[in-house]
PDB file of all heavy atoms in Angstrom:
ATOM      1  N   GLY A 151     202.327 -64.898   6.380  1.00 89.00           N
ATOM      2  CA  GLY A 151     203.199 -63.918   5.739  1.00 89.00           C
ATOM      3  C   GLY A 151     204.125 -63.198   6.691  1.00 89.00           C
ATOM      4  O   GLY A 151     204.512 -62.054   6.435  1.00 89.00           O
ATOM      5  N   LEU A 152     204.514 -63.854   7.792  1.00 88.00           N
ATOM      6  CA  LEU A 152     205.360 -63.219   8.803  1.00 88.00           C
ATOM      7  C   LEU A 152     206.803 -63.699   8.780  1.00 88.00           C
ATOM      8  O   LEU A 152     207.572 -63.366   9.684  1.00 88.00           O
ATOM      9  CB  LEU A 152     204.767 -63.467  10.201  1.00 88.00           C
ATOM     10  CG  LEU A 152     203.382 -62.887  10.457  1.00 88.00           C
ATOM     11  CD1 LEU A 152     202.905 -63.244  11.867  1.00 88.00           C
ATOM     12  CD2 LEU A 152     203.378 -61.374  10.257  1.00 88.00           C
ATOM     13  N   THR A 153     207.177 -64.495   7.771  1.00 88.00           N
ATOM     14  CA  THR A 153     208.565 -64.931   7.691  1.00 88.00           C
ATOM     15  C   THR A 153     209.482 -63.743   7.377  1.00 88.00           C
ATOM     16  O   THR A 153     209.058 -62.756   6.771  1.00 88.00           O
ATOM     17  CB  THR A 153     208.736 -66.005   6.605  1.00 88.00           C
ATOM     18  OG1 THR A 153     208.217 -65.502   5.362  1.00 88.00           O
ATOM     19  CG2 THR A 153     208.003 -67.280   6.985  1.00 88.00           C
ATOM     20  N   ASN A 154     210.737 -63.855   7.812  1.00 89.00           N
ATOM     21  CA  ASN A 154     211.730 -62.791   7.634  1.00 89.00           C
ATOM     22  C   ASN A 154     211.314 -61.481   8.281  1.00 89.00           C
ATOM     23  O   ASN A 154     211.650 -60.393   7.804  1.00 89.00           O
ATOM     24  CB  ASN A 154     212.033 -62.556   6.151  1.00 89.00           C
ATOM     25  CG  ASN A 154     212.865 -63.665   5.548  1.00 89.00           C
ATOM     26  OD1 ASN A 154     213.722 -64.239   6.214  1.00 89.00           O
ATOM     27  ND2 ASN A 154     212.606 -63.975   4.291  1.00 89.00           N
ATOM     28  N   SER A 155     210.559 -61.573   9.368  1.00 90.00           N
ATOM     29  CA  SER A 155     210.167 -60.384  10.120  1.00 90.00           C
ATOM     30  C   SER A 155     210.213 -60.707  11.602  1.00 90.00           C
ATOM     31  O   SER A 155     210.003 -61.855  12.010  1.00 90.00           O
ATOM     32  CB  SER A 155     208.761 -59.912   9.723  1.00 90.00           C
ATOM     33  OG  SER A 155     207.787 -60.858  10.125  1.00 90.00           O
ATOM     34  N   LEU A 156     210.471 -59.686  12.414  1.00 91.00           N
ATOM     35  CA  LEU A 156     210.516 -59.902  13.856  1.00 91.00           C
ATOM     36  C   LEU A 156     209.156 -60.270  14.412  1.00 91.00           C
ATOM     37  O   LEU A 156     209.068 -60.936  15.456  1.00 91.00           O
ATOM     38  CB  LEU A 156     211.045 -58.641  14.551  1.00 91.00           C
ATOM     39  CG  LEU A 156     212.513 -58.293  14.282  1.00 91.00           C
ATOM     40  CD1 LEU A 156     212.892 -57.010  14.994  1.00 91.00           C
ATOM     41  CD2 LEU A 156     213.429 -59.425  14.713  1.00 91.00           C
ATOM     42  N   ALA A 157     208.083 -59.865  13.739  1.00 91.00           N
ATOM     43  CA  ALA A 157     206.745 -60.244  14.196  1.00 91.00           C
ATOM     44  C   ALA A 157     206.558 -61.758  14.151  1.00 91.00           C
ATOM     45  O   ALA A 157     205.878 -62.336  15.010  1.00 91.00           O
ATOM     46  CB  ALA A 157     205.687 -59.558  13.342  1.00 91.00           C
ATOM     47  N   GLY A 158     207.158 -62.414  13.173  1.00 91.00           N
ATOM     48  CA  GLY A 158     207.073 -63.856  13.087  1.00 91.00           C
ATOM     49  C   GLY A 158     207.798 -64.563  14.214  1.00 91.00           C
ATOM     50  O   GLY A 158     207.539 -65.738  14.481  1.00 91.00           O
ATOM     51  N   VAL A 159     208.710 -63.862  14.869  1.00 92.00           N
ATOM     52  CA  VAL A 159     209.410 -64.410  16.033  1.00 92.00           C
ATOM     53  C   VAL A 159     208.675 -64.046  17.320  1.00 92.00           C
ATOM     54  O   VAL A 159     208.549 -64.864  18.242  1.00 92.00           O
ATOM     55  CB  VAL A 159     210.862 -63.894  16.079  1.00 92.00           C
ATOM     56  CG1 VAL A 159     211.574 -64.362  17.345  1.00 92.00           C
ATOM     57  CG2 VAL A 159     211.621 -64.349  14.846  1.00 92.00           C
ATOM     58  N   VAL A 160     208.166 -62.820  17.393  1.00 93.00           N
ATOM     59  CA  VAL A 160     207.552 -62.324  18.624  1.00 93.00           C
ATOM     60  C   VAL A 160     206.255 -63.059  18.937  1.00 93.00           C
ATOM     61  O   VAL A 160     206.013 -63.484  20.079  1.00 93.00           O
ATOM     62  CB  VAL A 160     207.316 -60.803  18.527  1.00 93.00           C
ATOM     63  CG1 VAL A 160     206.481 -60.314  19.701  1.00 93.00           C
ATOM     64  CG2 VAL A 160     208.642 -60.068  18.475  1.00 93.00           C
ATOM     65  N   VAL A 161     205.392 -63.225  17.937  1.00 92.00           N
ATOM     66  CA  VAL A 161     204.070 -63.827  18.186  1.00 92.00           C
ATOM     67  C   VAL A 161     204.188 -65.254  18.734  1.00 92.00           C
ATOM     68  O   VAL A 161     203.555 -65.583  19.742  1.00 92.00           O
ATOM     69  CB  VAL A 161     203.223 -63.782  16.904  1.00 92.00           C
ATOM     70  CG1 VAL A 161     201.916 -64.545  17.104  1.00 92.00           C
ATOM     71  CG2 VAL A 161     202.935 -62.331  16.506  1.00 92.00           C
ATOM     72  N   PRO A 162     204.986 -66.156  18.130  1.00 92.00           N
ATOM     73  CA  PRO A 162     205.123 -67.486  18.740  1.00 92.00           C
ATOM     74  C   PRO A 162     205.773 -67.459  20.117  1.00 92.00           C
ATOM     75  O   PRO A 162     205.418 -68.256  20.996  1.00 92.00           O
ATOM     76  CB  PRO A 162     206.004 -68.234  17.732  1.00 92.00           C
ATOM     77  CG  PRO A 162     205.821 -67.525  16.447  1.00 92.00           C
ATOM     78  CD  PRO A 162     205.665 -66.089  16.823  1.00 92.00           C
ATOM     79  N   GLN A 163     206.718 -66.555  20.347  1.00 93.00           N
ATOM     80  CA  GLN A 163     207.333 -66.462  21.663  1.00 93.00           C
ATOM     81  C   GLN A 163     206.310 -66.079  22.722  1.00 93.00           C
ATOM     82  O   GLN A 163     206.359 -66.576  23.854  1.00 93.00           O
ATOM     83  CB  GLN A 163     208.481 -65.446  21.635  1.00 93.00           C
ATOM     84  CG  GLN A 163     209.725 -65.941  20.925  1.00 93.00           C
ATOM     85  CD  GLN A 163     210.863 -64.948  20.948  1.00 93.00           C
ATOM     86  OE1 GLN A 163     212.020 -65.300  20.725  1.00 93.00           O
ATOM     87  NE2 GLN A 163     210.559 -63.694  21.191  1.00 93.00           N
ATOM     88  N   ILE A 164     205.401 -65.203  22.374  1.00 93.00           N
ATOM     89  CA  ILE A 164     204.337 -64.829  23.312  1.00 93.00           C
ATOM     90  C   ILE A 164     203.481 -66.042  23.651  1.00 93.00           C
ATOM     91  O   ILE A 164     203.163 -66.299  24.818  1.00 93.00           O
ATOM     92  CB  ILE A 164     203.477 -63.700  22.719  1.00 93.00           C
ATOM     93  CG1 ILE A 164     204.308 -62.430  22.557  1.00 93.00           C
ATOM     94  CG2 ILE A 164     202.267 -63.426  23.599  1.00 93.00           C
ATOM     95  CD1 ILE A 164     203.591 -61.333  21.789  1.00 93.00           C
ATOM     96  N   ALA A 165     203.109 -66.801  22.627  1.00 90.00           N
ATOM     97  CA  ALA A 165     202.257 -67.969  22.854  1.00 90.00           C
ATOM     98  C   ALA A 165     202.934 -69.003  23.737  1.00 90.00           C
ATOM     99  O   ALA A 165     202.301 -69.581  24.633  1.00 90.00           O
ATOM    100  CB  ALA A 165     201.870 -68.580  21.508  1.00 90.00           C
ATOM    101  N   PHE A 166     204.220 -69.233  23.522  1.00 91.00           N
ATOM    102  CA  PHE A 166     204.920 -70.251  24.306  1.00 91.00           C
ATOM    103  C   PHE A 166     205.282 -69.759  25.704  1.00 91.00           C
ATOM    104  O   PHE A 166     205.541 -70.581  26.584  1.00 91.00           O
ATOM    105  CB  PHE A 166     206.181 -70.697  23.573  1.00 91.00           C
ATOM    106  CG  PHE A 166     205.935 -71.735  22.526  1.00 91.00           C
ATOM    107  CD1 PHE A 166     205.654 -71.368  21.215  1.00 91.00           C
ATOM    108  CD2 PHE A 166     205.960 -73.079  22.832  1.00 91.00           C
ATOM    109  CE1 PHE A 166     205.415 -72.313  20.237  1.00 91.00           C
ATOM    110  CE2 PHE A 166     205.718 -74.045  21.860  1.00 91.00           C
ATOM    111  CZ  PHE A 166     205.445 -73.657  20.556  1.00 91.00           C
ATOM    112  N   ALA A 167     205.307 -68.455  25.933  1.00 91.00           N
ATOM    113  CA  ALA A 167     205.626 -67.927  27.254  1.00 91.00           C
ATOM    114  C   ALA A 167     204.392 -67.773  28.135  1.00 91.00           C
ATOM    115  O   ALA A 167     204.524 -67.694  29.368  1.00 91.00           O
ATOM    116  CB  ALA A 167     206.333 -66.574  27.126  1.00 91.00           C
ATOM    117  N   LEU A 168     203.205 -67.740  27.563  1.00 91.00           N
ATOM    118  CA  LEU A 168     201.997 -67.514  28.347  1.00 91.00           C
ATOM    119  C   LEU A 168     201.705 -68.615  29.369  1.00 91.00           C
ATOM    120  O   LEU A 168     201.280 -68.307  30.489  1.00 91.00           O
ATOM    121  CB  LEU A 168     200.797 -67.324  27.419  1.00 91.00           C
ATOM    122  CG  LEU A 168     200.623 -65.925  26.836  1.00 91.00           C
ATOM    123  CD1 LEU A 168     199.438 -65.878  25.875  1.00 91.00           C
ATOM    124  CD2 LEU A 168     200.414 -64.906  27.959  1.00 91.00           C
ATOM    125  N   PRO A 169     201.854 -69.912  29.049  1.00 90.00           N
ATOM    126  CA  PRO A 169     201.533 -70.930  30.063  1.00 90.00           C
ATOM    127  C   PRO A 169     202.300 -70.746  31.369  1.00 90.00           C
ATOM    128  O   PRO A 169     201.702 -70.743  32.454  1.00 90.00           O
ATOM    129  CB  PRO A 169     201.901 -72.238  29.363  1.00 90.00           C
ATOM    130  CG  PRO A 169     201.730 -71.952  27.913  1.00 90.00           C
ATOM    131  CD  PRO A 169     202.166 -70.538  27.742  1.00 90.00           C
ATOM    132  N   LEU A 170     203.619 -70.600  31.300  1.00 89.00           N
ATOM    133  CA  LEU A 170     204.397 -70.415  32.519  1.00 89.00           C
ATOM    134  C   LEU A 170     204.030 -69.116  33.217  1.00 89.00           C
ATOM    135  O   LEU A 170     203.965 -69.057  34.455  1.00 89.00           O
ATOM    136  CB  LEU A 170     205.885 -70.432  32.188  1.00 89.00           C
ATOM    137  CG  LEU A 170     206.844 -70.271  33.374  1.00 89.00           C
ATOM    138  CD1 LEU A 170     206.664 -71.405  34.366  1.00 89.00           C
ATOM    139  CD2 LEU A 170     208.286 -70.205  32.893  1.00 89.00           C
ATOM    140  N   THR A 171     203.760 -68.071  32.451  1.00 90.00           N
ATOM    141  CA  THR A 171     203.380 -66.787  33.028  1.00 90.00           C
ATOM    142  C   THR A 171     202.092 -66.906  33.827  1.00 90.00           C
ATOM    143  O   THR A 171     201.992 -66.411  34.958  1.00 90.00           O
ATOM    144  CB  THR A 171     203.215 -65.743  31.913  1.00 90.00           C
ATOM    145  OG1 THR A 171     204.448 -65.612  31.205  1.00 90.00           O
ATOM    146  CG2 THR A 171     202.815 -64.399  32.488  1.00 90.00           C
ATOM    147  N   ILE A 172     201.093 -67.566  33.269  1.00 90.00           N
ATOM    148  CA  ILE A 172     199.806 -67.712  33.953  1.00 90.00           C
ATOM    149  C   ILE A 172     199.942 -68.587  35.193  1.00 90.00           C
ATOM    150  O   ILE A 172     199.333 -68.319  36.241  1.00 90.00           O
ATOM    151  CB  ILE A 172     198.764 -68.280  32.975  1.00 90.00           C
ATOM    152  CG1 ILE A 172     198.460 -67.235  31.890  1.00 90.00           C
ATOM    153  CG2 ILE A 172     197.482 -68.682  33.695  1.00 90.00           C
ATOM    154  CD1 ILE A 172     197.576 -67.738  30.785  1.00 90.00           C
ATOM    155  N   ILE A 173     200.758 -69.629  35.117  1.00 89.00           N
ATOM    156  CA  ILE A 173     200.945 -70.512  36.267  1.00 89.00           C
ATOM    157  C   ILE A 173     201.634 -69.774  37.417  1.00 89.00           C
ATOM    158  O   ILE A 173     201.330 -70.010  38.594  1.00 89.00           O
ATOM    159  CB  ILE A 173     201.744 -71.753  35.845  1.00 89.00           C
ATOM    160  CG1 ILE A 173     200.885 -72.643  34.941  1.00 89.00           C
ATOM    161  CG2 ILE A 173     202.221 -72.538  37.052  1.00 89.00           C
ATOM    162  CD1 ILE A 173     201.628 -73.817  34.356  1.00 89.00           C
ATOM    163  N   ILE A 174     202.541 -68.870  37.116  1.00 87.00           N
ATOM    164  CA  ILE A 174     203.221 -68.106  38.165  1.00 87.00           C
ATOM    165  C   ILE A 174     202.315 -67.021  38.734  1.00 87.00           C
ATOM    166  O   ILE A 174     202.292 -66.788  39.954  1.00 87.00           O
ATOM    167  CB  ILE A 174     204.527 -67.493  37.620  1.00 87.00           C
ATOM    168  CG1 ILE A 174     205.534 -68.602  37.286  1.00 87.00           C
ATOM    169  CG2 ILE A 174     205.139 -66.528  38.625  1.00 87.00           C
ATOM    170  CD1 ILE A 174     206.814 -68.102  36.653  1.00 87.00           C
ATOM    171  N   LEU A 175     201.540 -66.363  37.876  1.00 88.00           N
ATOM    172  CA  LEU A 175     200.726 -65.238  38.328  1.00 88.00           C
ATOM    173  C   LEU A 175     199.470 -65.668  39.072  1.00 88.00           C
ATOM    174  O   LEU A 175     199.021 -64.968  39.988  1.00 88.00           O
ATOM    175  CB  LEU A 175     200.331 -64.372  37.132  1.00 88.00           C
ATOM    176  CG  LEU A 175     201.439 -63.549  36.465  1.00 88.00           C
ATOM    177  CD1 LEU A 175     200.900 -62.813  35.256  1.00 88.00           C
ATOM    178  CD2 LEU A 175     202.042 -62.558  37.453  1.00 88.00           C
ATOM    179  N   SER A 176     198.895 -66.795  38.687  1.00 86.00           N
ATOM    180  CA  SER A 176     197.603 -67.194  39.275  1.00 86.00           C
ATOM    181  C   SER A 176     197.650 -67.327  40.793  1.00 86.00           C
ATOM    182  O   SER A 176     196.747 -66.822  41.487  1.00 86.00           O
ATOM    183  CB  SER A 176     197.124 -68.503  38.631  1.00 86.00           C
ATOM    184  OG  SER A 176     196.806 -68.298  37.278  1.00 86.00           O
ATOM    185  N   PRO A 177     198.640 -67.998  41.397  1.00 84.00           N
ATOM    186  CA  PRO A 177     198.660 -68.073  42.869  1.00 84.00           C
ATOM    187  C   PRO A 177     198.774 -66.709  43.539  1.00 84.00           C
ATOM    188  O   PRO A 177     198.180 -66.485  44.596  1.00 84.00           O
ATOM    189  CB  PRO A 177     199.882 -68.946  43.155  1.00 84.00           C
ATOM    190  CG  PRO A 177     200.118 -69.720  41.915  1.00 84.00           C
ATOM    191  CD  PRO A 177     199.711 -68.812  40.800  1.00 84.00           C
ATOM    192  N   PHE A 178     199.531 -65.789  42.939  1.00 83.00           N
ATOM    193  CA  PHE A 178     199.636 -64.448  43.501  1.00 83.00           C
ATOM    194  C   PHE A 178     198.272 -63.770  43.542  1.00 83.00           C
ATOM    195  O   PHE A 178     197.875 -63.190  44.561  1.00 83.00           O
ATOM    196  CB  PHE A 178     200.603 -63.605  42.659  1.00 83.00           C
ATOM    197  CG  PHE A 178     201.988 -63.540  43.217  1.00 83.00           C
ATOM    198  CD1 PHE A 178     202.937 -64.483  42.854  1.00 83.00           C
ATOM    199  CD2 PHE A 178     202.362 -62.555  44.107  1.00 83.00           C
ATOM    200  CE1 PHE A 178     204.223 -64.435  43.360  1.00 83.00           C
ATOM    201  CE2 PHE A 178     203.637 -62.487  44.616  1.00 83.00           C
ATOM    202  CZ  PHE A 178     204.573 -63.431  44.247  1.00 83.00           C
ATOM    203  N   LEU A 179     197.570 -63.831  42.430  1.00 84.00           N
ATOM    204  CA  LEU A 179     196.297 -63.128  42.344  1.00 84.00           C
ATOM    205  C   LEU A 179     195.220 -63.814  43.183  1.00 84.00           C
ATOM    206  O   LEU A 179     194.345 -63.151  43.739  1.00 84.00           O
ATOM    207  CB  LEU A 179     195.856 -63.050  40.881  1.00 84.00           C
ATOM    208  CG  LEU A 179     196.858 -62.367  39.943  1.00 84.00           C
ATOM    209  CD1 LEU A 179     196.309 -62.287  38.532  1.00 84.00           C
ATOM    210  CD2 LEU A 179     197.223 -60.978  40.446  1.00 84.00           C
ATOM    211  N   ALA A 180     195.284 -65.144  43.268  1.00 83.00           N
ATOM    212  CA  ALA A 180     194.295 -65.862  44.074  1.00 83.00           C
ATOM    213  C   ALA A 180     194.498 -65.617  45.565  1.00 83.00           C
ATOM    214  O   ALA A 180     193.547 -65.737  46.354  1.00 83.00           O
ATOM    215  CB  ALA A 180     194.368 -67.357  43.772  1.00 83.00           C
ATOM    216  N   ALA A 181     195.738 -65.278  45.969  1.00 82.00           N
ATOM    217  CA  ALA A 181     196.023 -65.060  47.386  1.00 82.00           C
ATOM    218  C   ALA A 181     195.566 -63.693  47.883  1.00 82.00           C
ATOM    219  O   ALA A 181     195.587 -63.446  49.102  1.00 82.00           O
ATOM    220  CB  ALA A 181     197.522 -65.226  47.641  1.00 82.00           C
ATOM    221  N   ILE A 182     195.154 -62.799  46.994  1.00 80.00           N
ATOM    222  CA  ILE A 182     194.660 -61.485  47.432  1.00 80.00           C
ATOM    223  C   ILE A 182     193.333 -61.682  48.161  1.00 80.00           C
ATOM    224  O   ILE A 182     192.403 -62.301  47.627  1.00 80.00           O
ATOM    225  CB  ILE A 182     194.476 -60.550  46.228  1.00 80.00           C
ATOM    226  CG1 ILE A 182     195.835 -60.310  45.553  1.00 80.00           C
ATOM    227  CG2 ILE A 182     193.858 -59.230  46.655  1.00 80.00           C
ATOM    228  CD1 ILE A 182     195.747 -59.467  44.295  1.00 80.00           C
ATOM    229  N   PRO A 183     193.182 -61.207  49.370  1.00 80.00           N
ATOM    230  CA  PRO A 183     191.953 -61.458  50.146  1.00 80.00           C
ATOM    231  C   PRO A 183     190.714 -60.899  49.458  1.00 80.00           C
ATOM    232  O   PRO A 183     190.736 -59.793  48.893  1.00 80.00           O
ATOM    233  CB  PRO A 183     192.231 -60.750  51.478  1.00 80.00           C
ATOM    234  CG  PRO A 183     193.712 -60.586  51.545  1.00 80.00           C
ATOM    235  CD  PRO A 183     194.178 -60.432  50.128  1.00 80.00           C
ATOM    236  N   ASN A 184     189.641 -61.669  49.536  1.00 79.00           N
ATOM    237  CA  ASN A 184     188.375 -61.186  48.980  1.00 79.00           C
ATOM    238  C   ASN A 184     187.839 -59.985  49.757  1.00 79.00           C
ATOM    239  O   ASN A 184     187.110 -59.161  49.205  1.00 79.00           O
ATOM    240  CB  ASN A 184     187.350 -62.319  48.994  1.00 79.00           C
ATOM    241  CG  ASN A 184     187.703 -63.439  48.029  1.00 79.00           C
ATOM    242  OD1 ASN A 184     188.271 -63.192  46.974  1.00 79.00           O
ATOM    243  ND2 ASN A 184     187.389 -64.673  48.401  1.00 79.00           N
ATOM    244  N   GLU A 185     188.203 -59.913  51.050  1.00 80.00           N
ATOM    245  CA  GLU A 185     187.755 -58.775  51.850  1.00 80.00           C
ATOM    246  C   GLU A 185     188.298 -57.463  51.300  1.00 80.00           C
ATOM    247  O   GLU A 185     187.632 -56.424  51.384  1.00 80.00           O
ATOM    248  CB  GLU A 185     188.196 -58.957  53.310  1.00 80.00           C
ATOM    249  CG  GLU A 185     187.518 -60.091  54.045  1.00 80.00           C
ATOM    250  CD  GLU A 185     188.092 -61.441  53.699  1.00 80.00           C
ATOM    251  OE1 GLU A 185     189.107 -61.483  52.952  1.00 80.00           O
ATOM    252  OE2 GLU A 185     187.533 -62.463  54.157  1.00 80.00           O
ATOM    253  N   LEU A 186     189.495 -57.513  50.730  1.00 80.00           N
ATOM    254  CA  LEU A 186     190.075 -56.309  50.143  1.00 80.00           C
ATOM    255  C   LEU A 186     189.263 -55.855  48.938  1.00 80.00           C
ATOM    256  O   LEU A 186     189.023 -54.647  48.749  1.00 80.00           O
ATOM    257  CB  LEU A 186     191.520 -56.579  49.744  1.00 80.00           C
ATOM    258  CG  LEU A 186     192.344 -55.391  49.256  1.00 80.00           C
ATOM    259  CD1 LEU A 186     192.463 -54.347  50.347  1.00 80.00           C
ATOM    260  CD2 LEU A 186     193.722 -55.839  48.810  1.00 80.00           C
ATOM    261  N   GLN A 187     188.825 -56.801  48.127  1.00 75.00           N
ATOM    262  CA  GLN A 187     187.994 -56.451  46.976  1.00 75.00           C
ATOM    263  C   GLN A 187     186.632 -55.935  47.419  1.00 75.00           C
ATOM    264  O   GLN A 187     186.091 -54.999  46.817  1.00 75.00           O
ATOM    265  CB  GLN A 187     187.834 -57.666  46.071  1.00 75.00           C
ATOM    266  CG  GLN A 187     187.117 -57.367  44.756  1.00 75.00           C
ATOM    267  CD  GLN A 187     187.153 -58.546  43.804  1.00 75.00           C
ATOM    268  OE1 GLN A 187     187.731 -59.587  44.117  1.00 75.00           O
ATOM    269  NE2 GLN A 187     186.552 -58.388  42.643  1.00 75.00           N
ATOM    270  N   GLU A 188     186.078 -56.520  48.465  1.00 78.00           N
ATOM    271  CA  GLU A 188     184.787 -56.048  48.971  1.00 78.00           C
ATOM    272  C   GLU A 188     184.906 -54.628  49.524  1.00 78.00           C
ATOM    273  O   GLU A 188     184.035 -53.783  49.292  1.00 78.00           O
ATOM    274  CB  GLU A 188     184.288 -57.000  50.047  1.00 78.00           C
ATOM    275  CG  GLU A 188     183.949 -58.391  49.526  1.00 78.00           C
ATOM    276  CD  GLU A 188     183.612 -59.363  50.646  1.00 78.00           C
ATOM    277  OE1 GLU A 188     183.676 -58.929  51.831  1.00 78.00           O
ATOM    278  OE2 GLU A 188     183.301 -60.525  50.359  1.00 78.00           O
ATOM    279  N   ALA A 189     186.006 -54.367  50.235  1.00 82.00           N
ATOM    280  CA  ALA A 189     186.211 -53.012  50.753  1.00 82.00           C
ATOM    281  C   ALA A 189     186.390 -52.015  49.619  1.00 82.00           C
ATOM    282  O   ALA A 189     185.895 -50.879  49.681  1.00 82.00           O
ATOM    283  CB  ALA A 189     187.421 -52.999  51.674  1.00 82.00           C
ATOM    284  N   ALA A 190     187.079 -52.425  48.572  1.00 77.00           N
ATOM    285  CA  ALA A 190     187.262 -51.533  47.431  1.00 77.00           C
ATOM    286  C   ALA A 190     185.948 -51.256  46.726  1.00 77.00           C
ATOM    287  O   ALA A 190     185.686 -50.123  46.272  1.00 77.00           O
ATOM    288  CB  ALA A 190     188.266 -52.159  46.452  1.00 77.00           C
TER     289      ALA A 190
END
């Protein structure tokens, strides 16, 4: 029931944008040293 509404556009756009977002963010987050987390 989301036709003719911006929600019907936003939700699929989020789903299709997540793969590239996760692929870009994962190396950044994995590169954070574990020693920093242990110190925290």
Side-chain angles (χ1 to χ4, degrees):
L152 298 178
T153 54
N154 287 325
S155 67
L156 293 178
V159 175
V160 171
V161 173
Q163 286 182 162
I164 295 171
F166 277 90
L168 278 177
L170 181 61
T171 301
I172 292 173
I173 290 174
I174 293 176
L175 289 177
S176 293
F178 262 90
L179 302 182
I182 297 176
N184 292 327
E185 292 78 6
L186 187 62
Q187 187 172 359
E188 294 173 359

